[in-house]
Amino acid sequence: PTNSCTRAMLDMLDDARICGFLLTIAKGFLPCSSAGHLTNSCRELLELKAEDTLWRQCYLQQYPERSCKVALSWRCRLAMRQPLRELRLEGTEAVLDWEAALLVLGSPWSGKTWLVHRFCQGKPPECLDKVPFLGTNLRVSHLQLRGPRPRTGRLRIWEPSGVSRQALGGYLKAAQMVLVCVDLEDLGGVASEAQRLLAQVTQSMRPGTILGLCGLKSDRLTTSEQRRICATLRRVAQGYGAEFGMCSATTGEGVDEIFCAMLAACLESSNELPPPERVLSR
């Protein structure tokens, strides 16, 4: 927007509409970080003053609006959802700033076990022949999240076999976050399956639980199929106020992003939630 004609046109708009115009250009064509860099650069060029309005609109393009109990700017909230290069930490000697429990639910063969393994190990599993302990797979991962300063914590991930009565009874009431997984290869039924699982979970989870919807096996879809199903599932997720993402445990695309989005939402509302219960107390 350097020519005089474009600048004259933008002069007739208010700051918020200019921000929306720039974000519309970037949405769907650039990664979130690149889109933010572009809009921030254009803001400086056009001498916009509504920086917080800009970052709020950028945030709402990708994530649901929810109350934040911590004093954070929209820019910081957006940054917290972008994974660090050194996301996973080795060892447990670091002082922990937070601890959280995440329950991963989905139908059998939806790909949730691959998702959890990919996130914790940073690579796809070579084989999955271990029988889950007590019908539920448990993993613990030490992570470092973005923020005003890097925050180190411990995430416990529970992955029951399917959507069992045990999961909906004990683990669901103990978890601070619930991530519902669906298989994107089932193009005809994935939306109804997501709707069914989200409705089932919301009936049993405790108030204040962070809810997420994740579409798996995105690498097996064409670009047009990805765009079409993404729009459909995003609307389903918005109906439940859930975080949303599509990813591939095979390639790793989108895996860290959905977990970081869930954790950031949890930390922003952490003073509403009691601490996670012990795993074997349920």
Side-chain angles (χ1 to χ4, degrees), residues 69-268:
K69 302 301 180 180
V70 186
L72 295 172
S73 66
W74 287 103
R75 182 173 183 173
C76 184
R77 294 179 68 180
L78 184 63
M80 286 175 62
R81 286 158 170 76
Q82 312 308 313
L84 287 166
R85 181 172 299 177
E86 301 296 332
L87 174 64
R88 284 165 282 273
L89 299 176
E90 299 294 336
T92 60
E93 297 180 358
V95 178
L96 301 181
D97 299 313
W98 56 268
E99 185 174 2
L102 169 68
L103 179 64
V104 179
L105 295 178
S107 300
W109 306 106
S110 61
K112 60 185 184 299
T113 302
W114 273 60
L115 172 70
V116 172
H117 185 98
R118 180 79 196 212
F119 176 71
C120 293
Q121 301 297 325
K123 59 183 179 181
E126 297 178 0
C127 62
L128 293 174
D129 54 0
K130 293 178 62 178
V131 178
F133 177 63
L134 296 180
T136 299
N137 188 20
L138 167 66
R139 291 181 181 268
V140 178
S141 185
H142 291 80
L143 308 169
Q144 185 173 234
L145 300 179
R146 293 182 187 272
R149 62 178 179 84
R151 304 182 64 186
T152 303
R154 177 168 55 205
L155 175 64
R156 297 185 301 192
I157 304 176
W158 303 330
E159 184 221 330
S161 301
V163 186
S164 62
R165 182 177 301 177
Q166 179 189 28
L168 294 178
Y171 288 99
L172 186 55
K173 295 184 183 299
Q176 295 165 298
M177 300 168 286
V178 180
L179 182 60
V180 172
C181 299
V182 291
D183 185 355
L184 295 176
E185 282 193 297
D186 182 17
L187 293 175
V190 64
S192 59
E193 176 69 0
Q195 184 85 25
R196 181 185 70 83
L197 291 175
L198 288 171
Q200 194 174 3
V201 167
T202 52
Q203 290 178 358
S204 303
M205 71 182 190
R206 59 180 177 172
T209 301
I210 304 300
L211 188 60
L213 174 63
C214 182
L216 299 176
K217 307 178 186 179
S218 62
D219 59 301
R220 302 186 183 181
L221 304 183
T222 64
T223 302
S224 60
E225 288 174 337
Q226 287 184 15
R227 289 180 177 176
R228 185 171 68 253
I229 200 63
C230 178
T232 301
L233 290 180
R234 187 178 296 278
R235 287 194 296 269
V236 173
Q238 289 173 347
Y240 291 88
E243 303 289 332
F244 171 69
M246 288 172 43
C247 61
S248 166
T250 302
T251 65
E253 182 180 1
V255 173
D256 290 347
E257 284 77 2
I258 184 62
F259 279 90
C260 286
M262 295 284 290
L263 283 168
C266 182
L267 293 176
E268 289 171 356

